[in-house]
């Protein structure tokens, strides 16, 4: 699918954590985007009379083509962060897309295992919702790692989904817990706890570059075949 320029308006802004906001954009012209779960868009950010371009993964599924959702972390002093923080519902934005090849391997004759690091959960949220829209019955795993319990993104949504879908296994883990009562440590450790056989799985990793590299190296060290590992780094 070729990339296209879009005009959109901010439909909703949600507080997802202390430093992450959820943005829902309503597409205006054209009024819908055909994309695949895992792809991203380029947001045009006004800067000094020109435009800075920033890439953001789409956090909503392809069967909702008239609106796009994103989870975006605030970076103090950042050009995009400053621009996004001042947006309000009804404001216009411009973007182009879709872009990217971080896609689910087809056909889905395997158990998808998603290892998400912070806002790296965005494309996996799109993938998971897409898989259930297709009524995929394979086991689907989401191992979501953050430093602090108040930084878990979409936690209530994933817990609700796990209660409704017997084949969805959701395991958040915190590396610097305070009052957290769930799993602690890094996603590599949770992976080792739950995934012990690799022939039936495909493993997807997404997050900040240095974290993705560390997870990838640790999984290879555990004996996971490299052709089973797929990753997106930011």
């Amino acid at each position: 699918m070729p990339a296209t320029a879009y005009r959109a308006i901010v439909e909703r802004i949600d507080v997802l954590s202390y430093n992450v906001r959820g943005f829902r954009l309503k597409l205006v012209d054209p009024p819908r985007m055909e994309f695949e779960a895992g792809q991203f868009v380029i947001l045009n950010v006004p800067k000094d009379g020109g435009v800075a371009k920033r890439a953001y993964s789409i956090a909503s599924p392809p069967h909702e083509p008239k609106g796009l959702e994103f989870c975006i972390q605030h970076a103090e002093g950042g050009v995009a962060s400053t621009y996004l923080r001042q947006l309000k519902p009804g404001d216009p934005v411009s973007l182009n897309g879709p872009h990217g090849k971080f896609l689910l391997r087809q056909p889905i004759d395997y158990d998808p295992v998603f290892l998400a690091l912070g806002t790296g959960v965005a494309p996996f949220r799109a993938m998971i919702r897409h898989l259930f829209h297709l009524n995929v019955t394979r086991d689907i795993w989401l191992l979501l790692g953050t430093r602090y319990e108040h930084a878990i993104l979409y936690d209530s949504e994933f817990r609700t989904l796990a209660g409704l879908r017997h084949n969805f296994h959701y395991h958040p883990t915190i590396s610097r817990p305070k009052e957290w009562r769930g799993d602690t440590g890094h996603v590599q450790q949770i992976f080792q706890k739950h995934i012990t056989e690799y022939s039936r799985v495909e493993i997807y990793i997404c997050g900040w570059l240095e974290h993705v590299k560390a997870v990838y190296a640790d999984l290879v060290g555990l004996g996971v075949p490299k052709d089973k590992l797929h990753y997106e780094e930011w």
Side-chain angles (χ1 to χ4, degrees):
M1 293 171 287
T4 302
Y6 289 84
R7 291 190 299 109
I9 60 171
V10 178
E11 188 171 28
R12 191 179 74 243
I13 301 174
D14 300 315
V15 176
L16 300 182
S17 79
Y18 72 101
N19 69 342
V20 177
R21 296 292 183 269
F23 293 83
R24 180 173 177 83
L25 305 183
K26 179 181 179 180
L27 298 173
V28 176
D29 184 25
R32 57 189 292 134
M33 178 186 291
E34 302 297 332
F35 66 95
E36 295 185 61
Q39 291 192 295
F40 64 91
V41 303
I42 301 293
L43 182 67
N44 297 316
V45 178
K47 178 186 178 185
D48 301 329
V51 174
K53 298 182 180 296
R54 296 291 186 271
Y56 295 107
S57 290
I58 303 169
S60 51
H63 60 271
E64 299 176 5
K66 295 182 180 180
L68 304 176
E69 294 184 20
F70 307 90
C71 60
I72 301 176
Q73 183 171 327
H74 179 68
E76 194 65 39
V79 172
S81 290
T82 301
Y83 167 70
L84 290 165
R85 279 291 172 124
Q86 56 85 35
L87 289 177
K88 58 186 183 299
D91 283 347
V93 295
S94 68
L95 54 99
N96 68 77
H99 302 278
K101 297 180 180 179
F102 185 56
L103 310 174
L104 289 164
R105 187 183 66 75
Q106 300 294 329
I108 310 297
D109 56 359
Y110 56 88
D111 297 345
V113 179
F114 302 117
L115 277 67
L117 309 166
T119 53
V121 74
F124 297 150
R125 180 176 183 254
M127 290 177 179
I128 290 165
R129 291 176 62 180
H130 177 61
L131 289 169
F132 286 125
H133 179 71
L134 298 177
N135 292 316
V136 170
T137 58
R138 304 287 307 211
D139 282 319
I140 299 169
W141 296 80
L142 174 60
L143 313 181
L144 173 56
T146 65
R147 290 182 177 179
Y148 311 108
E149 47 259 54
H150 59 274
I152 303 174
L153 303 178
Y154 306 114
D155 184 58
S156 61
E157 177 181 322
F158 290 135
R159 289 185 185 277
T160 298
L161 188 57
L164 295 173
R165 299 276 189 166
H166 73 278
N167 60 324
F168 180 52
H169 311 284
Y170 170 54
H171 296 280
T173 183
I174 305 300
S175 60
R176 299 180 183 179
K178 292 184 178 180
E179 300 179 0
W180 179 250
R181 296 182 180 275
D183 288 323
T184 59
H186 300 286
V187 290
Q188 302 94 305
Q189 296 167 292
I190 304 305
F191 174 89
Q192 192 173 10
K193 177 179 177 182
H194 295 285
I195 311 298
T196 57
E197 203 278 322
Y198 309 136
S199 65
R200 297 179 11 177
V201 303
E202 296 289 335
I203 301 155
Y204 300 83
I205 313 167
C206 188
W208 293 106
L209 173 60
E210 62 272 21
H211 297 156
V212 168
K213 285 185 174 180
V215 171
Y216 181 91
D218 285 350
L219 295 189
V220 171
L222 291 173
V224 179
K226 290 183 179 181
D227 63 357
K228 291 287 186 179
L229 298 170
H230 317 276
Y231 61 88
E232 180 93 311
E233 57 191 40
W234 297 344

